[in-house]
Each structure stands twice: as structure tokens, then as C-alpha cells.
Amino acid sequence: MGDAIGALRARVLLQSPARAQDDLGGAARAWSDEGAVWAEITALGASQGADFDAAPSTASYRVMIRPRVDVRAGWRLAWGARTLTITGVSDAGERRITLQCEEERL
């Protein structure tokens, strides 16, 4: 894997899910900021589905960041106006970890 200077040029915010209690005794999912990191983001493809009246599209991305031990599938990345859900984390002991991510849009 090349380690070109400037490859990590997108600034993203890592967020982990947290449970937030509501006033009725239930819980909702909230997001806790875990820190901003530099990333290399590569678009992999997109697909379209049909569900009732909406036709959501899903875009897949490969995101590479410097190693962190706390990142998990189920977390998400805030990337500008986009939100990418982390579906997988691959750490093969390299200089970068790879995050498989998806973005769903209506």
C-alpha cells in the first residue's frame, strides 16, 4: 500500500451510538462525537432499491484512516453534509485501517 503524502485529505468526524433516555421512560439513539480524523475516501459504487413509495439509493465507500483501537461497525462518519454508516472495520496491522461504509439517501 502506498503512503502518499496528502492521501488523507478529507476531514471526518467519528461518532459512536449512545442511548439517550426520553421523558416517557424509553430510549432513543443519540450520537457521541469521538473525534475528528483525516481520511482517504474512495467511492466504490451505488445501488437503487424500491420500497413502497420511496426509492432509496445506497452508495458504498472505502474509508482509510490512521489506526485507532476504538472504531467499530455501527459507528458512523460525518463527512460534510453526508453521514456514512460504518459496516465493517479491517485492520491487518498496516499503517491504515479500512472502514467499509454505506450512505443511504432517499
Side-chain angles (χ1 to χ4, degrees):
M1 169 185 1
D3 197 21
I5 294 174
L8 304 178
R9 61 180 147 232
R11 194 70 168 164
V12 298
L13 178 63
L14 287 166
Q15 297 178 322
S16 64
R19 291 176 52 95
Q21 299 295 327
D22 63 18
D23 293 336
L24 301 174
R29 183 186 307 200
W31 293 95
S32 176
D33 294 345
E34 299 296 335
V37 296
W38 290 102
E40 176 183 354
I41 302 174
T42 306
L44 299 177
S47 64
Q48 183 109 12
D51 195 19
F52 298 104
D53 291 338
S57 64
T58 302
S60 298
Y61 296 89
R62 180 181 64 234
V63 179
M64 298 180 76
I65 63 172
R66 288 187 178 91
R68 289 179 60 122
V69 296
D70 58 344
V71 180
R72 302 279 182 263
W75 283 28
R76 70 183 190 181
L77 299 174
W79 175 37
R82 299 176 177 205
T83 301
L84 307 180
T85 302
I86 300 173
T87 58
V89 178
S90 176
D91 180 6
E94 300 287 332
R95 297 174 70 148
R96 305 278 186 258
I97 60 174
T98 303
L99 310 175
Q100 292 80 36
C101 299
E102 291 184 347
E103 175 190 31
E104 186 175 299
R105 290 185 164 187
L106 290 178

